[in-house]
Amino acid sequence: MCRYQQQQEEEEEEGKRTCQVSKCGGASSHDRQRKKKKKIKRNTYQRVVRKVKRKARSELRISKGDWTRHGYGQSPITCDVDCKGPHDSMHVVDGKRVSFAEFSHGIEKKGLPCLIKNVCDHWPAMNGTWSDAALLQRYKDYSFKVGSDDDGYPVRMKFHHFLKYAHDPEQGLRDDSPLYIFDGSVLSDAKDGGCMMKDYTVPFIFSEDLLRLAGEDKRPPWRWFCAGGARSGTNIHVDPLGTSAWNALVRGHKRWVLFSPETPRDAIKPKGVDSAARWFDVVWPQTLKKDWRYPRPIHVIQQPGDTVYVPNGWWHVVLNLDFTVAVTHNFCSSANFRKVFMHCRISRPKMTRYWLKHLRLERPDLAESAQYIIDEDERCDSISSPSSSSSSSSDSSSSSSLST
């Protein structure tokens, strides 16, 4: 806030000088230049916002008011910090009292989502280094990812423009589903991310990061810095590659709803529901009805300092209730290793071979489990291969006899 106070004081002094000049018979050339620069900055900001919006959500027409057509800016469903649901039953864990083994066996291996207290209170990020003023000073011109274009390429926005947008009554405070920073590059960038990595530490209960053995340059993206205003967030999804996740909230409030893995996709992710805000308007009420035929969801409001743990396979949707700043990691531990290895072997075979090589050196127990998965797959392939070959041969013979 010191930076803003200083700017206000400078503007007040400038205003006093302007008044003195006006009393003497007119505005000074300096005053006219200042107004001109201010107008240029405002026009530049507006052009940037329009350009970013068109790239990130090309299906929404700015001129037609598509960004505000649902009026969610005034909806209690999407902006009530104190909102409660009928399923506020998430298990709560005290991070100061639970051991690594207790969490691994009692929570992770049971696939139990939970809210964890007291694991990030000591972070510099919790004590001012991720305030608006501090982030603005360090990352004013850093371009954060705020979405993806139609071809999947990242859409970026400088932080000072984003911060202004998020607090703008005609933009971020009004949009149904505002732009949202979800960026991993700032954490891995040696130039700009180096100091941000010092602002937090991975909670000890999540310290078993097995994918690090696949190599920093080979492993899939796994950590992100997140920031955005009310009604921004992430739509319903399952985290990739069988990974689990933790999300630590530094500022603001987040609303979470989670569904167990056996919940049918069609029941909770219908077509046309393209944002977290829209999901809470359309899908959430259906889950509260008495005739809901599927597993009941878990609902929780995440407070500053809380960490949410999401087991692999669990559906979840996250809505920001006010301006939030958070960090989230996806990870592989002994508890979900088997599922992650099976996913990676199919989608990232080269990385998986490299990973297995290093697992044999550092975690031979898991390497043995991985080799069993490979052997089982090869055994299944060998069993199915002769039958398909025989079937093919039979079809060929039948076809031959028919042709003669």
Side-chain angles (χ1 to χ4, degrees):
M1 295 303 294
C2 294
R3 180 184 181 91
Y4 295 143
Q5 290 174 355
Q6 184 179 358
Q7 290 177 347
Q8 290 175 354
E9 291 175 0
E10 291 175 354
E11 289 177 359
E12 288 175 1
E13 291 178 2
E14 188 62 38
K16 291 178 182 178
R17 287 196 294 268
T18 302
C19 290
Q20 291 175 355
V21 172
S22 298
K23 290 178 181 178
C24 294
S28 66
S29 60
H30 177 74
D31 185 49
R32 290 194 295 271
Q33 290 176 357
R34 183 177 63 84
K35 289 182 178 179
K36 185 178 180 180
K37 288 181 179 178
K38 188 175 181 180
K39 184 177 180 180
I40 291 173
K41 284 185 178 180
R42 183 171 63 250
N43 291 340
T44 300
Y45 157 74
Q46 291 173 346
R47 285 197 301 271
V48 167
V49 171
R50 286 196 297 269
K51 181 179 179 181
V52 170
K53 281 186 170 183
R54 289 192 184 104
K55 285 186 175 182
R57 299 289 301 278
S58 63
E59 74 279 10
L60 299 182
R61 296 166 296 179
I62 299 173
S63 60
K64 299 293 184 180
D66 288 353
W67 281 78
T68 58
R69 64 185 172 191
H70 298 297
Y72 291 152
Q74 304 300 321
S75 171
I77 290 179
T78 58
C79 65
D80 186 3
V81 172
D82 297 319
C83 61
K84 295 291 182 180
H87 315 298
D88 296 306
S89 55
M90 180 172 277
H91 185 68
V92 179
V93 173
D94 187 346
K96 289 184 177 180
R97 298 188 176 185
V98 67
S99 68
F100 178 89
E102 288 172 339
F103 188 84
S104 178
H105 293 284
I107 302 294
E108 276 197 272
K109 290 188 177 179
K110 291 181 179 179
L112 180 65
C114 66
L115 186 73
I116 308 163
K117 301 282 188 178
N118 305 316
V119 291
C120 55
D121 298 343
H122 62 287
W123 290 359
M126 291 293 300
N127 295 286
T129 60
W130 284 7
S131 66
D132 281 357
L135 290 171
L136 190 63
Q137 184 177 13
R138 292 159 62 184
Y139 300 102
K140 177 181 178 181
D141 293 318
Y142 189 93
S143 293
F144 286 87
K145 180 182 177 182
V146 295
S148 300
D149 64 18
D150 293 340
D151 296 319
Y153 291 102
V155 177
R156 298 187 175 274
M157 192 177 196
K158 288 185 177 180
F159 186 71
H160 70 97
H161 284 144
F162 174 81
L163 195 60
K164 185 175 181 179
Y165 160 83
H167 296 292
D168 189 340
E170 298 300 318
Q171 295 287 348
L173 295 180
R174 191 176 168 215
D175 289 343
D176 289 335
S177 179
L179 297 169
Y180 181 46
I181 290 178
F182 201 89
D183 193 314
S185 63
V186 71
L187 297 176
S188 57
D189 192 311
K191 178 182 177 182
D192 296 294
C195 55
M196 183 171 277
M197 288 294 294
K198 297 177 183 178
D199 293 334
Y200 75 97
T201 54
V202 175
F204 74 97
I205 52 179
F206 303 122
S207 58
E208 190 183 29
D209 178 22
L210 294 174
L211 277 170
R212 66 179 173 78
L213 298 176
E216 294 293 311
D217 58 333
K218 295 181 177 62
R219 68 182 300 179
W222 83 100
R223 56 188 179 188
W224 298 269
F225 169 78
C226 315
R231 300 177 308 285
S232 62
T234 52
N235 198 8
I236 191 86
H237 67 285
V238 174
D239 287 331
L241 299 177
T243 58
S244 300
W246 60 265
N247 180 298
L249 185 60
V250 173
R251 294 166 48 200
H253 303 78
K254 289 178 179 285
R255 188 177 187 185
W256 290 72
V257 173
L258 300 92
F259 294 87
S260 58
E262 60 267 23
T263 308
R265 176 191 180 99
D266 293 343
I268 53 178
K269 193 172 183 178
K271 294 181 179 179
V273 177
D274 56 0
S275 69
R278 187 67 177 154
W279 188 93
F280 274 97
D281 184 30
V282 176
V283 182
W284 172 244
Q286 302 301 316
T287 70
L288 306 181
K289 293 181 178 180
K290 291 183 179 180
D291 60 352
W292 177 253
R293 297 180 292 120
Y294 309 107
R296 292 290 181 182
I298 295 175
H299 173 269
V300 71
I301 303 296
Q302 185 183 18
Q303 308 282 341
D306 290 347
T307 299
V308 172
Y309 164 66
V310 183
N312 64 288
W314 276 73
W315 292 93
H316 52 288
V317 56
V318 190
L319 184 75
N320 295 322
L321 300 178
D322 47 17
F323 191 82
T324 66
V325 178
V327 62
T328 184
H329 282 210
N330 283 25
F331 68 96
C332 172
S333 66
S334 298
N336 65 338
F337 170 76
R338 183 178 179 85
K339 289 187 177 180
V340 174
F341 188 84
M342 291 172 68
H343 277 281
C344 288
R345 187 165 181 261
I346 295 171
S347 60
R348 294 174 178 262
K350 290 183 179 180
M351 183 209 77
T352 305
R353 287 194 291 270
Y354 184 88
W355 188 20
L356 180 58
K357 177 181 177 181
H358 287 266
L359 281 168
R360 289 190 175 113
L361 296 175
E362 294 197 30
R363 290 296 302 270
D365 57 322
L366 295 179
E368 183 177 348
S369 176
Q371 189 60 53
Y372 178 81
I373 293 172
I374 295 172
D375 293 342
E376 280 294 299
D377 286 346
E378 291 178 349
R379 191 177 297 112
C380 290
D381 290 342
S382 64
I383 292 174
S384 61
S385 181
S387 61
S388 62
S389 176
S390 174
S391 175
S392 175
S393 176
S394 175
D395 291 343
S396 175
S397 175
S398 175
S399 174
S400 176
S401 63
L402 285 171
S403 62
T404 57

